[in-house]
Amino acid sequence: MRTADGDETTGAGGASLPVAGAGGDRAVEAGRRQAAAVRAPGVKATGAAGRKDRLSPRFLTVHGHRRAYLRAGRGSPVLLIHGIGDSSATWLPVLPGLAHRHTVIAPDLLGHGLSDKPRGDYSVGGFACGMRDLLTVLGIERVTVVGHSLGGGVAMQFAYQFPERCERLVLVGTGGVGPQVSPLLRLAASPGGEALLSLLRLPAARLAGHGAISALGLLGTDLGRDSDEVARVFGGLATGQARAAFLRTLRSAVDARGQAITMLDRCYLAEGMPTLIMWGAHDAVIPVEHARIAHEAMPGSRLEIFPEAGHFPHHTDPDRFQAVLADFFATTRPGGHTVREWRALLRSRALPPDAPAEEAARPASEPRARPDDSGGQPGPAGRAEPAGHLEQPAGVERDAGRTDRTGRLFKAG
């Protein structure tokens, strides 16, 4: 059936479960576990408003694929994007608090949680387009985007592709900064990763995996700080569809050498966008050094390090997480470039191949060489190109915004 907002919901008590079919009984059981996790810490409320805001999965079909999401609260919209192999359930420690002042949308990315898991596009660009389409269907034009891990990369891509729809950017232990990433993810992304993950279909292998995760927690390792979260993600890969979607997502961003994509070459486009970076000091998935690199590369950004947290600071200290977010909202005004402003900012870094090195290293805030009196950009041999023309020859890529430290990072990678 459909709710008053036009979205679909099924199941007793407002909890929606996937139907049996391609995923079989195991998919149904996975759906029950996910729905139970979503319901457990639900917001207690009564009346029509309470029924509408309770934390039960909702569903929309977009481009033929069913997408699950949570929605709660009233106020300025906030989009919460989870990490790889995870789901909207990761935001449950902070979502009810955020819903006091905001309309909170927390989707399950395609291939994750209760959303469909087709053989499709699992790139960060594809996910960003999916977020744009979901918000459009829901009638939400502009949002503050909060992304964790892979979701941080999706959030940055969303701000890059749709700057007019992004008011603020919050990055939590985000991917897409440097090549360094957990060896476990590099191993899974390597050839043969399918065989390794296929062991998860065996009860004995799952039991051994859970035992190893528990041991890491007892030993007090950095990864062990997130043992509950790792076990939850681990448990979500029980079906073949989930494992296939996980691998497609992982390999779109990571290979045997580490993370293969970076946002550092486009950080200057975040100029004027209120940006908050949060990270755990003991992050064993993506090192905390990436937080400082991103902060240095993004003009005007704020940096908050959680000293006792690993990769999930919103789980380790949800109260502080919410307090930092509340202060960020209270002390910033919504940003976002118009198409004209974004075009001008992009053109400010589009350099001809013979530009001097000092021009490429100049900060975005400093003026570039002016076009000639004809109103065009200087072309080769002093020839003026028509206004609006961007000359960027094939094979030539300028990394104008990267500092010495970030340059060393990628040379080392």
Side-chain angles (χ1 to χ4, degrees):
M1 62 182 177
R2 293 186 178 273
T3 67
D5 292 334
D7 50 346
E8 302 171 2
T9 179
T10 62
S16 300
L17 303 178
V19 296
D25 293 339
R26 288 178 299 172
V28 173
E29 179 59 29
R32 287 195 181 99
R33 291 196 300 269
Q34 168 82 0
V38 170
R39 287 199 303 270
V43 180
K44 292 183 179 180
T46 59
R51 288 193 299 272
K52 197 170 184 179
D53 277 351
R54 63 188 172 187
L55 295 180
S56 297
R58 305 183 184 198
F59 294 88
L60 281 170
T61 299
V62 182
H63 306 314
H65 301 301
R66 194 169 73 151
R67 300 168 188 260
Y69 67 100
L70 302 177
R71 179 171 184 163
R74 299 289 186 275
S76 57
V78 176
L79 177 67
L80 304 177
I81 309 177
H82 63 77
I84 188 170
D86 213 334
S87 71
S88 56
T90 194
W91 300 111
L92 291 176
V94 297
L95 194 155
L98 291 174
H100 289 311
R101 294 179 177 272
H102 304 281
T103 297
V104 183
I105 306 295
D108 288 351
L109 294 172
L110 198 68
H112 295 71
L114 297 181
S115 290
D116 282 351
K117 299 169 179 63
R119 186 174 182 271
D121 181 5
Y122 291 103
S123 66
V124 291
F127 284 133
C129 290
M131 296 298 96
R132 185 270 318 271
D133 295 345
L134 175 64
L135 293 173
T136 299
V137 172
L138 293 175
I140 298 173
E141 290 300 317
R142 306 188 73 218
V143 293
T144 291
V145 188
V146 182
H148 172 240
S149 196
L150 169 77
V154 176
M156 289 186 287
Q157 189 72 18
F158 180 90
Y160 169 64
Q161 292 180 204
F162 315 112
E164 72 284 358
R165 303 192 69 164
C166 186
E167 294 187 338
R168 297 176 184 85
L169 186 60
V170 182
L171 307 175
V172 185
T174 185
V177 177
Q180 289 80 12
V181 72
S182 167
L184 293 176
L185 291 178
R186 298 207 315 265
L187 179 62
S190 302
E194 294 90 344
L196 181 65
L197 288 180
S198 69
L199 295 175
L200 295 178
R201 74 182 188 276
L202 304 176
R206 291 199 298 272
L207 184 62
H210 283 292
I213 293 168
S214 298
L216 290 173
L218 293 174
L219 291 172
T221 64
D222 282 349
L223 186 60
R225 290 172 184 265
D226 299 319
S227 58
D228 290 343
E229 289 77 11
V230 173
R232 178 169 51 81
V233 172
F234 183 75
L237 301 179
T239 69
Q241 283 183 320
R243 292 193 296 272
F246 174 85
L247 279 176
R248 289 191 184 104
T249 304
L250 180 64
R251 287 171 173 170
S252 73
V254 174
D255 58 25
R257 298 172 58 188
Q259 295 189 74
I261 57 177
T262 178
M263 56 87 166
L264 292 179
D265 55 355
R266 298 167 210 185
C267 275
Y268 66 94
L269 292 170
E271 186 175 317
M273 175 69 66
T275 302
L276 171 64
I277 301 166
M278 293 193 274
W279 224 284
H282 298 275
D283 194 329
V285 178
I286 303 174
V288 68
E289 177 66 11
H290 288 201
R292 301 182 179 97
I293 292 169
H295 175 51
E296 185 177 322
M298 303 182 81
S301 63
R302 301 185 188 183
L303 176 61
E304 288 282 342
I305 303 295
F306 288 64
E308 300 301 320
H311 191 55
F312 295 80
H314 51 301
H315 290 194
T316 304
D317 195 346
D319 291 339
R320 183 187 172 196
F321 187 92
Q322 292 176 78
V324 170
L325 268 182
D327 179 73
F328 180 59
F329 276 105
T331 56
T332 58
R333 296 171 61 88
H337 298 302
T338 65
V339 173
R340 180 188 295 270
E341 291 168 338
W342 190 89
R343 184 186 296 122
L345 195 57
L346 181 61
R347 291 180 63 178
S348 73
R349 290 300 183 92
L351 302 175
D354 56 350
E358 58 269 19
E359 183 74 7
R362 185 176 300 173
S365 56
E366 293 185 14
R368 300 283 171 187
R370 291 183 173 275
D372 64 10
D373 292 339
S374 66
Q377 297 291 335
R383 176 174 51 85
E385 300 290 343
H389 175 78
L390 291 179
E391 182 163 339
Q392 188 72 4
V396 176
E397 187 171 349
R398 296 288 181 177
D399 190 356
R402 190 170 295 171
T403 63
D404 289 342
R405 176 158 58 168
T406 58
R408 289 196 300 272
L409 178 86
F410 270 83
K411 288 176 184 176

